């Protein structure tokens, strides 16, 4: 059997997403089935940016590469950003009611309303139809669709509708992905005409079992509950709180060695081409009160061997000539990273990680080895600079007294410190949030500060503990539409948005270097850190050659739009 796997728009197009290359590699290694991956997201952005005919991506890369000092390089990065934003504005002008950014898609349809999703999917015409006409000419009737982020919802369901139109009763539509896992109850009960099988959590073993069953090779194991197939009745008006029931676990040794052979890996929209690598699955902490991301994985934290991860990196370097990588683990286990460093240092790569600001990173020698082995950016879930707030947030693994040692060691090792902070959580006091603001302002070893507002999401420990105060109207979103706290029923979203917006104003006014780093996307910061050091933004700001007021305004606008302006019921 041949399976076509599609990654639909709209998602960050700066590098390939790793899910489908991992699925392709696993299925083809372990069966005679064949798989072709189609990154419709990359094709969509290439069309919007007119890359096939214009060659502007190459021109921007050349200009950036020729910049030998930090200020010209930052200006080249900002011009690259402006080029993309100009093309996105033209897309909006051509399609009334639509808007596009690197990480967002705005449409006249409400992606959270199943009826609106159906209306978009079955509309007479959408801006994605020319792309899909070309794509579907290359695919067969068995198609897997990955749903990872909310901005993919409308284009993904349009794709499913068109597959049905072309292949009719011969079509077989399989859905998977992290967002599909978290929204499965709604999709199963409200939008059944757009799917034949839903695969939740990690897809490798259930997908292969499903293909073998479809080919009459073997029955699906009785214990496999990550697959929902028709004609099994979908749950009627299923609730969405805590839908995570599967106990199946994919052995970690069966994953890895992603196959990017179907991908134009050098044609993604970053100044330096890069690829994702996965070394572990599921957050090894997984106890934060506000988070459900770890529930998209199978219910056990697992690590690959350091040698297998190093072998993957060597293969990718050899095959594609790319030497910049992002470890896309939810949280990179420090012990695994420590074992991996001497294996990858001879490759002379640059890489970035997601990490927890916990005590094992206080070892200055370990952090120095990270820098020598090529770590150039580390994303730390800081959340708060107050010990009491960290306990309320379920982030007891973080301890404020360690932050300075961790971040200063990273800065000394040439590692750009990116911090996530969270404002408006009910257990975090005004004093705690002021401490966080003060810490961001006064710690020069913090190079990027993302300031987010708390949103209650389904399945999180906070949501489960406060179920009687939350309302979710079976919509295509993890966010609760109604959340109130306290004796007077204070609106939680309004409080959180106000606190976070005020923090953005204060922090970026005091630290324009943080405003500059907020404007640049992840890949730009990574590349600039690799070339000019972890504190490149501070160096550029202090040069006197940048418009600081304009940078502060744009940093404010960027952060408030991307991290704070989420409405629970709009």
């Amino acid at each position: 059997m041949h399976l076509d796997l599609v990654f639909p728009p709209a998602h960050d197009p700066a590098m390939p997403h790793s899910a489908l290359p991992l699925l392709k590699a696993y299925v083809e290694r372990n069966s005679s089935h064949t798989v072709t991956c189609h990154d419709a997201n990359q094709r969509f952005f290439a069309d919007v940016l007119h890359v096939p005919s214009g060659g502007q991506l190459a021109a921007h890369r050349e200009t950036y590469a020729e910049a030998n000092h930090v200020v010209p390089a930052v200006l080249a990065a900002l011009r690259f950003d402006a080029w993309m934003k100009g093309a996105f504005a033209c897309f909006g002008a051509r399609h009334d009611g639509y808007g596009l950014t690197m990480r967002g898609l705005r449409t006249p349809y409400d992606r959270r309303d199943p009826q609106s999703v159906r209306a978009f999917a079955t509309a007479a015409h959408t801006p994605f139809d020319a792309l899909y006409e070309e794509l579907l000419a290359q695919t067969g009737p068995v198609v897997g669709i990955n749903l990872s982020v909310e901005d993919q919802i409308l284009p993904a369901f349009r794709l499913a509708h068109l597959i049905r139109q072309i292949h009719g009763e011969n079509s077989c539509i399989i859905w998977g992905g992290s967002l599909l896992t978290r929204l499965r109850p709604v999709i199963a009960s409200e939008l059944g005409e757009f799917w034949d099988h839903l695969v939740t959590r990690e897809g490798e073993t259930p997908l292969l079992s499903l293909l073998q069953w479809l080919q009459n090779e073997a029955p699906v194991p009785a214990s496999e509950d990550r697959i929902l197939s028709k004609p099994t009745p979908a749950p009627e008006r299923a609730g969405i709180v805590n839908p995570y029931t599967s106990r199946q676990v994919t052995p970690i040794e069966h994953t890895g060695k992603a196959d990017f052979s179907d991908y134009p890996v050098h044609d993604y929209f970053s100044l330096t081409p890069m690829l994702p690598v996965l070394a572990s699955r599921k957050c090894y902490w997984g106890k934060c009160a506000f988070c459900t991301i770890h529930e998209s994985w199978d219910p056990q934290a697992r690590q690959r061997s350091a040698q297998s991860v190093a072998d993957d990196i060597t293969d990718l370097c050899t095959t594609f000539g790319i030497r910049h990588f992002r470890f896309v683990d939810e949280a990179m286990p420090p012990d695994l990273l420590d074992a991996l460093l001497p294996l990858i240092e001879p490759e002379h790569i640059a890489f970035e990680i997601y990490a927890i600001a916990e005590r094992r990173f206080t070892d200055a020698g370990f952090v120095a080895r990270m820098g020598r082995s090529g770590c150039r950016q580390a994303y730390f879930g800081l959340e708060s600079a107050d010990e009491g707030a960290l306990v309320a947030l379920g982030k007891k693994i973080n301890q404020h007294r360690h932050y300075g040692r961790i971040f200063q060691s990273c800065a000394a090792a040439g590692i750009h410190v990116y911090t996530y902070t969270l404002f408006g959580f009910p257990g975090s006091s005004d004093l705690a949030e002021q401490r966080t603001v003060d810490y961001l302002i006064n710690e020069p070893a913090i190079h990027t500060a993302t300031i987010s507002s708390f949103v209650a999401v389904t399945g999180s420990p906070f949501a489960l503990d406060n179920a009687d105060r939350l309302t979710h109207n079976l919509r295509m979103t993890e966010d609760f539409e109604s959340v109130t706290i306290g004796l007077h029923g204070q609106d939680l979203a309004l409080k959180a948005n106000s606190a976070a917006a005020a923090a953005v104003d204060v922090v970026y006014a005091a630290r324009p270097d943080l405003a500059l780093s907020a404007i640049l996307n992840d890949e730009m910061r990574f590349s600039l850190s690799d070339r000019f050091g972890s504190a490149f933004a501070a160096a550029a700001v202090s040069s006197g050659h940048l418009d600081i007021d304009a940078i502060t305004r744009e940093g404010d606008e960027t952060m408030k739009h991307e991290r704070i302006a989420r409405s629970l019921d709009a």
Side-chain angles (χ1 to χ4, degrees), residues 108-120:
Y109 295 80
D110 184 354
R111 70 188 180 198
R112 299 165 300 174
D113 176 13
Q115 295 306 317
S116 182
V117 172
R118 179 177 287 107
F120 180 86

Side-chain angles (χ1 to χ4, degrees), residues 44 78 92 131 141 207 268 283 332 363 367 391 410 455 479 481 536 538 555 560:
F44 169 71
L78 293 174
L131 168 72
L207 178 60
Y268 285 77
C283 177
M332 187 71 171
D363 182 340
V367 174
V391 172
C410 285
V455 176
D479 300 348
E481 279 86 0
F536 74 85
K560 290 176 181 177

Side-chain angles (χ1 to χ4, degrees), residues 25-88:
Y26 179 83
V27 169
E28 294 192 339
R29 278 200 311 267
N30 293 283
S31 74
S32 60
H33 302 289
T34 58
V35 179
T36 301
C37 297
H38 305 269
D39 193 345
N41 183 62
Q42 191 276 338
R43 297 186 195 180
F44 169 71
F45 277 93
D47 289 345
V48 169
L49 294 165
H50 305 293
V51 167
S53 60
Q56 292 192 63
L57 175 61
H60 279 286
R61 285 178 173 172
E62 183 177 357
T63 299
Y64 172 72
E66 291 175 348
N68 294 321
H69 300 285
V70 63
V71 171
V74 166
L75 292 174
L78 293 174
R79 285 193 294 271
F80 176 66
D81 184 64
W83 164 61
M84 291 189 291
K85 288 177 178 175
F88 298 158

Side-chain angles (χ1 to χ4, degrees), residues 306-431:
Q307 188 62 60
S308 65
V309 177
D311 289 345
D312 282 4
I313 290 172
T314 298
D315 289 346
L316 292 172
C317 289
T318 301
T319 303
F320 298 109
I322 285 179
R323 312 202 76 80
H324 291 77
F325 298 91
R326 175 183 298 164
F327 285 97
V328 291
D329 308 48
E330 265 194 88
M332 187 71 171
D335 295 342
L336 173 58
L337 179 59
D338 197 18
L340 180 63
L341 295 177
L343 302 178
I344 61 176
E345 185 172 358
E347 295 292 344
H348 301 291
I349 64 170
F351 66 90
E352 56 185 5
I353 63 170
Y354 295 94
I356 299 174
E358 51 120 314
R359 60 175 178 76
R360 284 180 287 181
F361 286 99
T362 62
D363 182 340
F366 167 45
V367 174
R369 292 194 299 276
M370 287 170 54
R372 287 197 303 271
S373 298
C375 186
R376 294 294 176 262
Q377 185 163 235
Y379 302 81
F380 286 102
L382 183 71
E383 320 312 346
S384 175
D386 180 85
E387 295 284 356
L390 290 170
V391 172
L393 287 159
K395 204 68 178 281
K396 290 183 288 185
I397 192 171
N398 278 23
Q399 294 180 335
H400 173 251
R401 66 181 182 274
H402 294 325
Y403 288 172
R405 289 173 61 191
I406 294 171
F407 301 152
Q408 289 158 25
S409 293
C410 285
I415 301 169
H416 186 101
V417 174
Y418 182 117
T419 58
Y420 295 94
T421 57
L422 191 64
F423 286 74
F425 188 79
S428 181
S429 66
D430 292 342
L431 177 60

